[in-house]
Amino acid sequence: MSTRAARVGHTSLRLACVRLVQQLLSNGGSLTRLLPEAQARVEPREQAQLQAWCYGFARHSGELAGIVDQLLDKPLKAKDLDVYLLMQLGILQLRHTPISAHAAVDETVKVARQLKKPWARALVNAVLRQYQRRADELEAALSDAQRLSHPQWLLARLQGDWPEHWETICQQNNERAPMTLRVNCRQGTTQDYLQRLRAAGHAAQQVPQLPQAVQLEQPAGVQLLPGFETGAVSVQDAAAQLAAGYLTRHARRDGRLLDACAAPGGKMAHALELGHFAEVLALDHDPQRLQRVADNLSRLKLTGNSRLQAADAAELALWWDGVPYDAVLLDAPCSGTGVIRRHPDIKLLRRESDIQTLVAAQSRLLDSLWRTVAAEGVLLYATCSVLKCENDTQIESFLARTDDAALLDATWQILPGDGGMDGFFYAALGKRSRSTIAMGRSDES
Amino acid sequence: MSLLELAFEHSSEPVVSLLDILYYPDAQLRRNAAVVENVDGTVASLVDQMLETMYAAPGIGLAATQVNVHQRVMVIDVSEENDTPQTFINPEILTAEGEEEMQEGCLSIPGVYETVKRPALIRVAAIDREGNPFEMDADGLLAVCIQHEIDHLNGKLFVDYLSPLKRNRIRKRMEKWIRDGANPDDLPERP
């Protein structure tokens, strides 16, 4: 049953979508940050749709802009960005949603008035109707960057780094990611949890090679997952679950682990669940995000042998007591170009100049943290990037300038979609004691 | 700092798993729902998804029939704060007295609100989400809502209480709205 709800005060779905993307483009924050506010302004039943549209917009923005550009005689003025985005939203509905064409056009045209630009109604209408008539021809004329909806600079880098894979990478970036869970092995076996999921009506499968990973056939809100509140399970991509395996394989049992950039804490929680380390210190520069780590650990009932501290990991003087760590996890700040399928707004927010800054920050973290690694200890370097300058090239230069470092395994670049996983990079760096350095570096690459 | 923040976000894109609601005049809404023999995890999970669907709609009550599951399960939350969900499995009205008129709407007939006359005070027996039987007295909006949802389980809709002329007009408007793509921004209510 329903009652006549007060319909005043709510923003229309399409207006909210245009406003949110406008805010995104003016660097007002990420989708993850902006969406909850925008959702609070639309009617509750439209919240899921607003989210789907905003993610769709970010995913396909290059293509949408490319189509609208062909249909405009001259570019719109900068102050009419909202009208430009409204036209793109119209094309999004026509191309990527099941909404009927006539409702998509009519409802989108109406928003021009809500933007207080009634003059734009005829223009929006003409652009959308032209698209309906000439869709094939307009799509055929798109450039690679537009067709694949990647900024030109990023596309060029991907083409340079991955001459054979760049197109697949871009296509995978535009897919929706699966929802993968990590079963808390302290509370039960993966098999048992699969049973619980099935009893609750969720079809799911174990991920090969990853003992705690379960992939859901259909994504579900976490509140619907059995035992989520009491810590039976967490949401974590399969690629991120590989970190714990590296750490347990290469670090001695009952040693000390440092997680240098810990938030939101999934990888460190996984290591704690496995019970391999006697002591864990988690650092993050952002106290608010560190609070999320604390919340996660308390949900998973893992607070016992861990300590959290807000600090920039590269500033050793601020946090390090001088006692070396058996294992250091450096999940470094990176371009996020491996997780675009989860965060399509990365394509809109990232600038080419960011890459330089990130590469410098990564190498500074590597150099500082290397000092905290014990002899015969391991530093696991991880990024969710697919760019070589942040990954293989970064590690090659580190090895070249660091005498006592050697790769323990070949580095591993996972491309987005490989085995259903996010794009990720791992390099396990072993610290040799002074006496063994003379034996020379292994030639793994 | 937004770029660093983004790089750290490995969490999954949030998702809402909602059930599809059938719209009048779908013939499935006319089915008589079966008695639930065993309140197990599957029923509890159905209840959870129905609640989520009801809150998202937004509605104050939802019967399993409306999401094309033909079992005697219904959920209700008439609180202002949407924090008092109630589950009724195999509900039965034991006693009914008095008479009250109230304007009703239905998630299967969006945008349409009409006045219906029903008993004002009822006593109902049912089983809760954990499988425990209970009995309760209800009046006001809760009483109306319970009766409205039990009607669904019996294949009955609130428009059945209206005149055939009015019901037909609503049916035509609904059919046109569905033909036009069931746009939630443009409900079939009259201006």
Side-chain angles (χ1 to χ4, degrees):
Chain A
M1 181 171 161
S2 66
T3 49
R4 194 188 285 277
R7 294 174 62 98
V8 287
H10 286 302
T11 307
S12 88
L13 174 63
R14 289 170 179 82
L15 180 63
C17 187
V18 167
R19 291 284 187 236
L20 191 148
V21 176
Q22 199 175 2
Q23 215 177 338
L24 197 67
L25 292 176
S26 62
N27 261 327
S30 65
L31 267 180
T32 324
R33 186 183 298 176
L34 296 175
L35 196 59
E37 279 171 45
Q39 283 181 317
R41 282 193 295 269
V42 301
E43 289 197 50
R45 65 188 162 79
E46 294 179 334
Q47 290 175 355
Q49 198 165 15
L50 177 65
Q51 173 177 325
W53 285 10
C54 291
Y55 274 85
F57 208 121
R59 212 164 260 141
H60 302 293
S61 64
E63 172 200 86
L64 302 174
I67 287 170
V68 171
D69 288 348
Q70 292 179 63
L71 291 167
L72 291 173
D73 293 334
K74 54 178 191 320
L76 290 165
K77 295 186 185 102
K79 69 179 169 67
D80 295 322
L81 176 65
D82 48 2
V83 175
Y84 185 50
L85 295 176
L86 179 61
M87 292 187 277
Q88 295 182 33
L89 175 62
I91 311 271
L92 175 77
Q93 294 166 69
L94 293 169
R95 261 180 87 70
H96 298 288
T97 74
I99 291 174
S100 77
H102 117 118
V105 175
D106 286 3
E107 292 303 315
T108 304
V109 169
K110 278 187 204 164
V111 180
R113 203 189 281 279
Q114 296 164 12
L115 291 171
K116 308 217 165 50
K117 294 183 179 175
W119 55 266
R121 277 178 302 163
L123 180 64
V124 174
N125 187 56
V127 162
L128 297 185
R129 299 222 181 269
Q130 276 288 322
Y131 168 73
Q132 287 180 286
R133 277 194 288 276
R134 298 170 46 203
D136 291 346
E137 164 208 342
L138 294 166
E139 284 157 28
L142 294 173
S143 71
D144 280 341
Q146 290 171 335
R147 174 174 62 87
L148 296 165
S149 288
H150 277 60
Q152 185 58 49
W153 68 265
L154 179 56
L155 187 73
R157 277 180 181 258
L158 291 173
Q159 286 170 331
D161 283 357
W162 304 101
E164 281 161 25
H165 300 107
W166 59 271
E167 187 149 8
T168 318
I169 295 175
C170 293
Q171 282 159 354
Q172 285 294 330
N173 287 347
N174 292 342
E175 294 290 319
R176 301 187 62 131
M179 183 163 174
T180 309
L181 309 177
R182 184 190 75 241
V183 176
N184 182 353
C185 61
R186 297 211 156 187
Q187 294 195 16
T189 66
T190 308
Q191 281 310 320
D192 287 346
Y193 194 74
L194 274 169
Q195 296 283 331
R196 285 178 80 182
L197 277 175
R198 288 187 188 127
H202 300 284
Q205 287 193 341
Q206 207 173 339
V207 178
Q209 321 287 324
L210 280 167
Q212 286 86 34
V214 165
Q215 188 176 319
L216 293 182
E217 227 151 79
Q218 289 289 323
V222 287
Q223 70 282 10
L224 294 177
L225 300 175
F228 179 83
E229 288 302 326
T230 47
V233 73
S234 306
V235 178
Q236 188 179 38
D237 188 74
Q241 294 189 41
L242 291 164
Y246 271 105
L247 292 171
T248 52
R249 199 158 62 241
H250 291 304
R252 81 175 171 91
R253 214 181 161 78
D254 297 323
R256 301 169 80 220
L257 168 69
L258 168 69
D259 189 349
C261 307
K267 296 186 188 70
M268 123 185 217
H270 193 188
L272 285 168
E273 286 166 7
L274 294 170
H276 188 81
F277 295 97
E279 201 189 315
V280 178
L281 172 64
L283 300 177
D284 201 275
H285 67 281
D286 181 342
Q288 275 185 337
R289 293 181 49 77
L290 207 59
Q291 184 54 48
R292 275 184 56 195
V293 181
D295 295 346
N296 267 323
L297 292 181
S298 89
R299 181 180 63 84
L300 295 165
K301 308 190 172 65
L302 292 172
T303 43
N305 48 356
S306 58
R307 204 157 60 78
L308 310 183
Q309 190 177 338
D312 175 351
E315 299 288 341
L316 299 189
L318 295 180
W319 60 267
W320 191 38
D321 57 7
V323 183
Y325 286 89
D326 302 289
V328 173
L329 170 59
L330 172 52
D331 188 6
C334 72
S335 61
T337 44
V339 293
I340 287 174
R341 58 185 196 155
R342 291 195 193 278
H343 302 284
D345 47 345
I346 288 174
K347 298 190 290 188
L348 301 175
L349 300 176
R350 189 73 70 237
R351 297 282 167 267
E352 183 162 27
S353 56
D354 298 342
I355 306 296
Q356 257 339 91
T357 316
L358 286 163
V359 169
Q362 291 153 2
S363 72
R364 175 168 159 263
L365 281 162
L366 270 167
D367 288 338
S368 300
L369 290 167
W370 189 247
R371 294 169 50 198
T372 70
V373 180
E376 309 297 334
V378 59
L379 185 152
L380 181 64
Y381 178 79
T383 72
C384 52
S385 165
V386 295
L387 299 180
K388 292 205 168 160
C389 59
E390 298 180 273
N391 297 344
D392 270 319
T393 315
Q394 177 75 267
I395 291 305
E396 279 160 27
S397 2
F398 175 73
L399 289 170
R401 66 175 181 262
T402 314
D403 280 341
D404 53 351
L407 283 170
L408 297 171
D409 290 318
T411 61
W412 190 6
Q413 174 71 69
I414 302 160
L415 295 178
D418 281 358
M421 293 188 278
D422 284 346
F424 242 83
F425 176 81
Y426 284 107
L429 299 158
K431 190 176 211 169
R432 295 176 296 179
S433 53
R434 291 284 158 194
S435 54
T436 56
I437 291 172
M439 290 163 65
R441 182 168 297 129
S442 78
D443 54 5
E444 287 171 314
S445 63
Chain B
M1 232 31 177
S2 76
L3 77 124
L4 291 183
E5 184 210 33
L6 258 172
F8 282 126
E9 282 283 350
H10 301 164
S11 60
S12 176
E13 172 180 332
V15 282
V16 186
S17 128
L18 299 179
L19 302 164
D20 286 331
I21 296 177
L22 297 175
Y23 293 128
Y24 175 71
D26 194 310
Q28 295 295 323
L29 288 171
R30 294 307 187 178
R31 286 176 59 174
N32 196 358
V35 169
V36 176
E37 300 291 348
N38 190 6
V39 179
D40 56 12
T42 322
V43 176
S45 153
L46 170 68
V47 165
D48 294 344
Q49 293 191 48
M50 282 173 61
L51 278 169
E52 205 181 337
T53 305
M54 176 187 83
Y55 287 127
I60 59 168
L62 184 71
T65 307
Q66 292 175 277
V67 292
N68 212 6
V69 175
H70 302 282
Q71 296 189 47
R72 304 190 81 80
V73 176
M74 56 193 232
V75 295
I76 289 179
D77 187 345
V78 293
S79 70
E80 285 289 336
E81 296 78 23
N82 283 348
D83 59 357
T84 319
Q86 287 178 289
T87 304
F88 299 79
I89 297 166
N90 301 338
E92 267 192 82
I93 293 180
L94 304 174
T95 59
E97 54 194 86
E99 222 175 47
E100 194 175 7
E101 282 194 344
M102 203 177 275
Q103 196 180 52
E104 294 184 24
C106 180
L107 295 176
S108 293
I109 317 173
V112 176
Y113 300 92
E114 296 290 347
T115 302
V116 176
K117 193 189 286 181
R118 299 185 188 266
L121 188 68
I122 58 167
R123 181 157 186 85
V124 63
I127 302 171
D128 69 14
R129 184 181 174 283
E130 275 68 49
N132 307 312
F134 67 94
E135 282 186 21
M136 68 181 291
D137 293 309
D139 61 3
L141 181 58
L142 179 59
V144 170
C145 191
I146 291 172
Q147 296 176 71
H148 176 115
E149 302 310 331
I150 291 179
D151 275 353
H152 273 303
L153 302 179
N154 296 326
K156 191 166 178 170
L157 297 163
F158 85 96
V159 291
D160 297 349
Y161 295 94
L162 310 176
S163 72
L165 185 75
K166 229 174 179 176
R167 184 164 61 248
N168 260 330
R169 215 159 46 204
I170 291 170
R171 183 172 52 77
K172 290 222 171 73
R173 255 189 286 148
M174 282 296 297
E175 282 167 346
K176 177 172 185 319
W177 178 70
I178 293 164
R179 247 194 337 270
D180 291 347
N183 179 3
D185 287 339
D186 190 14
L187 295 176
E189 69 191 318
R190 273 176 294 181

